[in-house]
Amino acid sequence: MPSRLRLVLILGALSAFAPMSIDMYLPSLPTLAAEFGASTSATQLTLSAFFVGLAIGQALYGPLADRFGRKPALYVGLTVYAIATIGCASAHSIESLIVWRFAQALGGCAGVVVARAVVRDLFDQWGSARMLSTMMLVMGAAPMLAPLLGGWLLAVSGWRSIFWALLVFGLLCLFATIVALPETRPRSGEVSGVGAALRDYARLLRHRRFVGYVLAGGFAQAGMFAYISGSPFVFIDAYGVPAHAYGWLFGLNALGLITASQINARLIRRFGPDRLLARANLANVVFGLLLAVAAWTRWGGLVVLLVPLFGYVASLGFSYPNAAAGAMAPFPERAGSASALLGTVQFGIAAIAGSAVGWWHDGTAWPMAVVIALCGAAAFAAQRMLVAAK
């Protein structure tokens, strides 16, 4: 087995494609709306298109990774990502930016799929949960640093420079994949044809606990993407937070996510991933409801709103690694397909949640808060009915 530190760094960076590509340009959303003369909902489509691309693309890379290997799938995806990122940096309308963001997600999602598959290739359920939690030290640094870097680049050289920086990140990950990432696909994992891939997906969807883990983690994560979609406009426009300071608030919540994931890694041996997932989904419900109350009453302003929002995001440090590990544990020979379907469903839900915030936008925190609360309740229900139920 390759060194754990090398795996954590490379797989964490590959898993960070989504948060890096989303969070770095969040401070520029109001600027993009003004520059292109676009509405808030149209501007948020650049986020929703990315979520949809992540959902669709993962369904393609799973069978590819199972048939040809983990590294070839990454080579294809990272090359597409680099080309699409150049397109984003060169966009001259909100419509073209939406298209290129979709293509960028189609490429970048290869990193997300393959990283989870490699973890399942090398570890069992409990080991996978610990490894995924440790990877969040790297992956979780993206939500902390990306908005700060994006805000700085926006102020210094404009929004296009954000995408040039993402291009450098993508090329560095491609280089690390070529020279330092081992091929871990089991020889018995080879499949052939679209029909075999569809049969694999059908088999996975008939597995009750797999669906339960996917929905429990997916709805919880969708709440975070509702926060990602709505927070730039809520913080910057509704509460007057400067664009360059937005990253500090975003980073604070990311710090809670990272801290919780490391606590999760230490508690797994004592309580087990299923019990921790159940507690995390309960926390999703509680913090989601408190957030909705804070947004509805507007009592205490931004400070009171931030407290349950911090709690909700931090609880994802428990729900994400335990749900992902539980979903993939029964399928060592189809880790790529299981990882792909997991991501497809989860980011599909995230796309709906993010779009709902944009459609419902009314200049307040209420739409964002309600969508987050609904996602938390759905995650809790899925865990109770499909995972915990005997």
Side-chain angles (χ1 to χ4, degrees):
M1 181 185 297
S3 74
R4 187 179 182 88
L5 177 60
R6 186 174 70 182
L7 274 178
V8 167
L9 292 176
I10 297 176
L11 298 181
L14 291 172
S15 299
F17 265 97
M20 282 290 290
S21 302
I22 294 168
D23 302 341
M24 188 179 289
Y25 98 126
L26 287 179
S28 70
L29 286 181
T31 300
L32 287 171
E35 178 170 330
F36 290 134
S39 65
T40 296
S41 59
T43 305
Q44 285 180 315
L45 281 177
T46 62
L47 279 173
S48 298
F50 193 88
F51 298 157
V52 172
L54 285 172
I56 294 174
Q58 291 189 65
L60 303 175
Y61 288 109
L64 182 65
D66 281 341
R67 180 178 185 184
F68 297 106
R70 312 311 186 201
K71 295 182 70 167
L74 280 175
Y75 297 155
V76 172
L78 297 183
T79 300
V80 172
Y81 179 88
I83 295 171
T85 302
I86 295 172
C88 290
S90 307
H92 291 286
S93 69
I94 198 67
E95 292 79 12
S96 63
L97 182 59
I98 290 170
V99 172
W100 282 117
R101 285 286 286 170
F102 175 78
Q104 189 186 37
L106 285 179
C109 66
V112 182
V113 172
V114 172
R116 283 195 301 253
V118 170
V119 170
R120 182 58 191 92
D121 291 339
L122 300 175
F123 301 96
D124 61 11
Q125 180 181 355
W126 288 41
S128 293
R130 289 194 297 271
M131 184 63 178
L132 289 167
S133 296
T134 305
M135 283 164 52
M136 291 189 76
L137 281 171
V138 179
M139 185 175 67
M144 291 182 61
L145 301 178
L148 294 173
L149 178 58
W152 179 78
L153 289 171
L154 178 65
V156 172
S157 52
W159 65 268
R160 296 182 192 277
S161 63
I162 295 173
F163 289 103
W164 294 120
L166 287 172
L167 175 62
V168 173
F169 172 72
L171 293 176
L172 288 175
C173 286
L174 178 59
F175 176 77
T177 297
I178 294 172
V179 303
L181 185 68
E183 178 57 65
T184 62
R185 178 182 66 94
R187 294 299 302 172
S188 58
E190 188 171 345
V191 297
S192 60
V194 175
L198 293 177
R199 286 193 295 272
D200 279 344
Y201 286 148
R203 192 177 303 115
L204 290 167
L205 289 173
R206 289 194 297 269
H207 195 283
R208 179 178 61 85
R209 285 176 64 85
F210 174 83
V211 174
Y213 284 121
V214 168
L215 294 180
F219 277 114
Q221 182 173 285
M224 184 176 72
F225 283 102
Y227 153 65
I228 289 171
S229 296
S231 61
F233 297 96
V234 170
F235 292 170
I236 297 173
D237 291 344
Y239 287 98
V241 175
H244 67 271
Y246 167 81
W248 291 104
L249 292 179
F250 200 88
L252 177 65
N253 288 325
L255 179 61
L257 174 66
I258 293 174
T259 302
S261 69
Q262 300 317 295
I263 295 173
N264 179 71
R266 293 180 177 275
L267 293 180
I268 285 173
R269 289 188 178 90
R270 181 176 177 184
F271 297 106
D274 285 341
R275 186 175 177 185
L276 291 173
L277 175 62
R279 298 296 184 270
N281 286 146
L282 178 61
N284 293 147
V285 175
V286 173
F287 288 121
L289 290 175
L290 291 175
L291 180 64
V293 170
W296 175 256
T297 63
R298 302 187 186 182
W299 181 82
L302 180 61
V303 173
V304 172
L305 189 77
L306 288 174
V307 174
L309 189 58
F310 177 88
Y312 186 96
V313 175
S315 68
L316 298 177
F318 292 93
S319 60
Y320 167 75
N322 294 316
M328 295 190 298
F331 309 103
E333 304 304 326
R334 293 292 182 268
S337 295
S339 175
L341 189 56
L342 168 70
T344 294
V345 174
Q346 290 189 345
F347 280 102
I349 299 171
I352 295 172
S355 297
V357 174
W359 295 331
W360 198 4
H361 177 76
D362 63 358
T364 73
W366 176 241
M368 179 187 75
V370 170
V371 173
I372 290 174
L374 291 174
C375 288
F380 177 77
Q383 192 278 332
R384 293 286 294 176
M385 291 189 295
L386 297 175
V387 176
K390 301 298 183 182

